[in-house]
Amino acid sequence: MRLGLPAGSLQEATADLFRRAGYKITYTNRSYYPAIDDPEIECVLIRAQEMARYVQDGVLDAGLTGYDWIIETKADVVEVAELVFSKVSRRPVRWVLAVPEDSPIQSVKDLEGKRIATEAVGITEQFLARHGVKAKVEFSWGATEVKPPRLADAIVEVTETGSSLRANNLRILEEVLVSTPRFIANRAAYQDPWKRQKIEDIVLMLKGAMAAEGKVSLMMNVPRNKLSQVVAILPALQKPTVADLSDPDWVAVITVCDESVVRQIIPRLKAAGAQGIVEQPITKLID
């Protein structure tokens, strides 16, 4: 199966996600064909901006790209799963309309007849059409934030934190599109039983790795007569597992919780009667 991996800003984040999902991806210098420890998969590095088009055309069976580039290229692909990860945070990225801090432009309507620079020309034109505004939208090859006010009246740019916009004295006028990474598939490939199963297996493991992020497993032995007090303390995802021990007066309790709360609840569990408390990292969490 031919799998497209995003080159550029998401490249390392994608490799890390696959590693946590159980796949080892190795990038080699100047090669666009990363190695993966699955002989049934052939990986190709492709810019996220082009990924959806290559998947649509069948050059690739599946790939990872942003929802924004699916919209931008109007690609006809199967969106198998949404995977919320990025190069900086686990938040979606936003395409925003921004203008200089001292610009007289205060609304989208004020852009009538103005010049807008952006890498996402199609997304911007669709946005303006929804607002009934006609403006000159120019493709930007990069460094879009530095173009206002001399080279453009406004820009449409992608941001996670907004820090780059603020550093260039730009203010956000309006949100244009919210985007998250998507695992996409070619429609014909997704109809092939073997490829579909392979794609769904990969997605299952990726989502399991993402769900496990920040989670740990807690195991402990609890006196049976203290069980209700201990269980009341545990912030279980569903319900903790309770198992009998060889001593009928004791039970084993296993649960999953956020790593951030462990330091708060372990002292309370100990005070409630739990013993032999063990914390273990979780690499995957499959519902």
Side-chain angles (χ1 to χ4, degrees):
M1 187 186 77
R2 291 161 298 177
L3 175 65
L5 300 176
S9 62
L10 281 179
Q11 185 171 319
E12 292 304 324
T14 301
D16 178 65
L17 176 59
F18 270 81
R19 178 189 57 77
R20 290 186 286 115
Y23 301 90
K24 182 181 179 182
I25 294 177
T26 304
Y27 297 114
T28 55
N29 291 337
R30 300 180 182 178
S31 174
Y32 287 92
Y33 298 92
I36 186 169
D37 60 345
D38 185 330
E40 297 177 338
I41 301 175
E42 178 188 359
C43 293
V44 184
L45 273 179
I46 299 288
R47 285 174 58 85
Q49 294 92 326
E50 302 176 288
M51 187 76 70
R53 178 165 53 86
Y54 284 121
V55 171
Q56 171 192 266
D57 295 345
V59 178
L60 300 169
D61 296 310
L64 283 88
T65 189
Y67 174 70
D68 44 3
W69 299 117
I70 300 172
I71 297 299
E72 175 70 12
T73 59
K74 299 180 180 179
D76 181 20
V77 295
V78 179
E79 293 185 36
V80 182
E82 179 182 32
L83 303 172
V84 184
F85 74 102
S86 66
K87 65 178 179 178
V88 174
S89 69
R90 292 297 181 264
R91 298 190 300 267
V93 297
R94 300 183 300 146
W95 284 92
V96 296
L97 175 64
V99 296
E101 285 284 1
D102 57 359
S103 171
I105 297 172
Q106 298 297 324
S107 71
V108 180
K109 297 294 185 184
D110 295 336
L111 290 168
E112 184 71 33
K114 303 294 186 183
R115 187 187 303 268
I116 303 172
T118 183
E119 188 179 356
V121 173
I123 290 172
T124 302
E125 289 177 341
Q126 292 174 45
F127 172 77
L128 293 173
R130 291 197 299 271
H131 286 80
V133 172
K134 292 184 178 180
K136 185 178 173 96
V137 181
E138 295 181 339
F139 180 77
S140 174
W141 291 96
T144 307
E145 297 99 327
V146 304
K147 295 189 173 178
R150 288 191 176 93
L151 302 178
D153 300 293
I155 66 171
V156 171
E157 181 66 329
V158 67
T159 182
E160 286 187 46
T161 65
S163 58
S164 180
L165 295 174
R166 290 190 294 272
N168 286 280
N169 296 313
L170 297 172
R171 58 180 165 87
I172 295 174
L173 198 62
E174 194 161 334
E175 187 174 88
V176 175
L177 181 74
V178 176
S179 177
T180 53
R182 308 291 169 98
F183 196 105
I184 61 174
N186 172 267
R187 291 199 176 276
Y190 203 59
Q191 293 301 311
D192 178 278
W194 182 85
K195 289 182 178 179
R196 181 171 186 150
Q197 188 62 60
K198 191 70 177 178
I199 289 168
E200 291 181 348
D201 288 350
I202 295 171
V203 168
L204 177 68
M205 301 307 290
L206 293 176
K207 293 177 78 171
M210 292 176 62
E213 187 173 359
K215 306 288 186 185
V216 295
S217 172
L218 282 182
M219 299 178 289
M220 67 207 76
N221 295 332
V222 180
R224 194 177 293 274
N225 61 0
K226 300 287 187 180
L227 181 59
S228 60
Q229 296 96 306
V230 168
V231 170
I233 297 170
L234 297 174
L237 289 180
Q238 296 174 343
K239 293 181 180 179
T241 299
V242 179
D244 291 333
L245 296 176
S246 57
D247 186 336
D249 293 330
W250 287 77
V251 294
V253 176
I254 305 173
T255 192
V256 174
C257 63
D258 291 329
E259 185 178 16
S260 60
V261 306
V262 169
R263 65 177 182 268
Q264 300 168 2
I265 65 172
I266 283 184
R268 296 172 58 200
L269 292 170
K270 178 69 174 174
Q275 296 184 16
I277 303 171
V278 176
E279 175 189 346
Q280 291 187 325
I282 295 176
T283 56
K284 299 172 193 67
L285 183 59
I286 311 293
D287 286 334

